[in-house]
Amino acid sequence: MTERVKDFPVFVKLSIITMGVLAFSYILYIGQGILIPLIFSTIIAILLNPVVNFFTGKGINRIVAISLVLFATIILLGALTYFIYSRLDVFTESFPQLKEKFSALFSNTVNQLSDSLHISKTKIHSWIEKIKVEGMNSGTVVIGQTLLSIGSVFVLVLLIPVYVFMILFYKPLLLEFISQLFQKNKQPVVAEVLSETKTLVQSYLVGLMLEAAIVAALNSAGLLIIGLDYAILLGIIGGLLNIIPYVGGLVATALPMLIALATKSPLDAFWVLLIYAVVQFVDNNFLVPKIVGSKVKINALVSIVVVIIGGALWGVAGMFLSIPITAIIKVVFDRIEPLKPIGFVIGDDQPAMGDMVLKFKGSVRKKKATVRK
């Protein structure tokens, strides 16, 4: 059967692969309500597993150890959430002043556009009103989607601790199940893949949290230097948004720039842009390669593509999960002979251009010599 598949024309193989990818993507999309909590729970369970092992190694009952670790994790996350919420409460108290300043800034912008483009203010306001009406017509859809998102968040908050507890408790059973899926001669390779996957996820998430903390501290320090209101809150939000690859950094930069425009001046907004650009430069060239990039060997092109695909399939959760899932896929593909080329193209071990040119030239010459014979 394998030999027959190898004899298929290239376009047939591509058609089969395309249909398989589309079918798999459709399954991922319709099953996101089940898959996202499970994947998040599995990643969190892998992250917490060393702590659970530490307590069980001290003679503590496994159920008690898992409960203690989960309780401590929930307390830490709750404390962080409470801090952000309390700061947001102060932020919302300033909404009336921010609204007035945004209105004044908006009026000045309309006046400048009217003067520079020689368009009447009435026409500009009519365009804006038209956009508002169109926005209101689609507003019910947006509100409905937002309510669904909030509902799904509550479901995640309730489900994930239960899933994490069960995964940690039934870890021996799950590992034995995976082992029994493969022949005995393949089990050492499976054990190696599982061990490398566990190490990858743990080191990646720890590095990601450390990176987020450093970025939040740098953002907050920069905003405090220029005297921007809510500097610490905006810095922490920027550090958390930075976890979402590529897209999060843009949103994290836009938010304090808007606050600077409303509360200070365009020059302060420029300083915010400059500070965040410097932080992003430090993050991309020093923090990510040393802390996160060394754990996940994925090239930038594949990273951007999988983040976009993850966002299209699962939204923000898909953007966050896309990189670790791709890294795990690479670990698996590197161990399977037919899939090694895909694992290679996902990675960042780029061969020297000169070697590739010589290799292709040698292949062409060999083919020409064969044709002549």
Side-chain angles (χ1 to χ4, degrees), residues 88-107:
L88 281 175
D89 191 40
V90 176
F91 182 69
T92 52
E93 290 177 0
S94 304
F95 269 174
Q97 295 90 337
L98 289 175
K99 185 177 180 182
E100 290 179 6
K101 291 179 179 179
F102 268 120
S103 299
L105 179 65
F106 176 75
S107 299

Side-chain angles (χ1 to χ4, degrees), residues 83-85 87-88 91 95 98 102 212-224 226-242 248-264 268 272 275-276 279-280:
F83 172 77
I84 295 175
Y85 177 78
R87 301 300 298 175
L88 281 175
F91 182 69
F95 269 174
L98 289 175
F102 268 120
I214 295 173
V215 170
L218 293 175
N219 288 342
S220 301
L223 296 179
L224 284 170
I226 64 173
L228 189 67
D229 296 334
Y230 322 108
I232 296 177
L233 174 63
L234 292 171
I236 292 175
I237 292 174
L240 294 174
L241 286 172
N242 197 60
L250 296 175
V251 178
T253 306
L255 183 59
M257 285 184 67
L258 288 173
I259 300 298
L261 281 172
T263 59
K264 288 185 172 292
D268 291 293
V272 170
I275 289 169
Y276 272 67
V279 172
Q280 285 298 312

Side-chain angles (χ1 to χ4, degrees), residues 42-54:
T42 303
I43 290 175
I44 295 171
I46 292 173
L47 182 64
L48 298 180
N49 184 60
V51 187
V52 174
N53 290 340
F54 173 79

Side-chain angles (χ1 to χ4, degrees), residues 119-134:
I119 302 174
S120 66
K121 296 177 185 178
T122 307
K123 186 173 289 188
I124 293 175
H125 281 290
S126 65
W127 288 343
I128 294 170
E129 288 298 323
K130 183 179 178 182
I131 294 172
K132 283 183 180 179
V133 171
E134 292 176 354

Side-chain angles (χ1 to χ4, degrees), residues 146-363:
T146 305
L147 291 174
L148 287 174
S149 300
I150 294 172
S152 63
V153 167
F154 280 114
V155 171
L156 285 176
V157 169
L158 295 174
L159 274 181
I160 286 180
V162 176
Y163 282 158
V164 172
F165 183 91
M166 293 300 177
I167 291 170
L168 287 170
F169 181 73
Y170 288 110
K171 185 187 77 170
L173 176 68
L174 295 173
L175 292 177
E176 181 61 25
F177 164 71
I178 295 172
S179 176
Q180 291 184 9
L181 289 176
F182 299 90
Q183 300 175 357
K184 287 188 176 181
N185 61 335
K186 300 291 185 183
Q187 287 180 2
V189 178
V190 174
E192 184 182 351
V193 170
L194 290 175
S195 176
E196 191 170 341
T197 300
K198 179 191 70 174
T199 304
L200 173 74
V201 171
Q202 289 173 351
S203 57
Y204 173 73
L205 289 179
V206 170
L208 201 64
M209 289 188 291
L210 181 59
E211 181 208 3
I214 295 173
V215 170
L218 293 175
N219 288 342
S220 301
L223 296 179
L224 284 170
I225 289 172
I226 64 173
L228 189 67
D229 296 334
Y230 322 108
I232 296 177
L233 174 63
L234 292 171
I236 292 175
I237 292 174
L240 294 174
L241 286 172
N242 197 60
I243 292 175
I244 303 172
Y246 306 107
V247 179
L250 296 175
V251 178
T253 306
L255 183 59
M257 285 184 67
L258 288 173
I259 300 298
L261 281 172
T263 59
K264 288 185 172 292
S265 66
L267 180 60
D268 291 293
F270 171 76
W271 283 115
V272 170
L273 176 62
L274 184 61
I275 289 169
Y276 272 67
V278 172
V279 172
Q280 285 298 312
F281 177 82
V282 172
D283 180 41
N284 294 329
N285 292 278
F286 297 98
L287 298 180
V288 171
K290 297 294 182 182
I291 299 176
V292 181
S294 58
K295 321 297 181 186
V296 182
K297 299 292 185 180
I298 302 173
N299 65 68
L301 175 61
V302 173
S303 299
I304 295 172
V305 171
V306 297
V307 166
I308 294 172
I309 293 173
L313 290 175
W314 291 349
V316 176
M319 290 181 178
F320 173 76
L321 292 172
S322 58
I323 299 296
I325 289 176
T326 305
I328 293 170
I329 290 172
K330 174 174 166 49
V331 171
V332 175
F333 283 8
D334 285 342
R335 299 297 187 281
I336 301 174
E337 194 64 36
L339 299 176
K340 278 187 176 180
I342 302 177
F344 175 77
V345 79
I346 292 174
D348 61 351
D349 298 326
Q350 184 167 329
M353 181 60 71
D355 295 340
M356 293 305 300
V357 171
L358 291 174
K359 186 176 180 179
F360 279 116
K361 284 183 177 179
S363 301

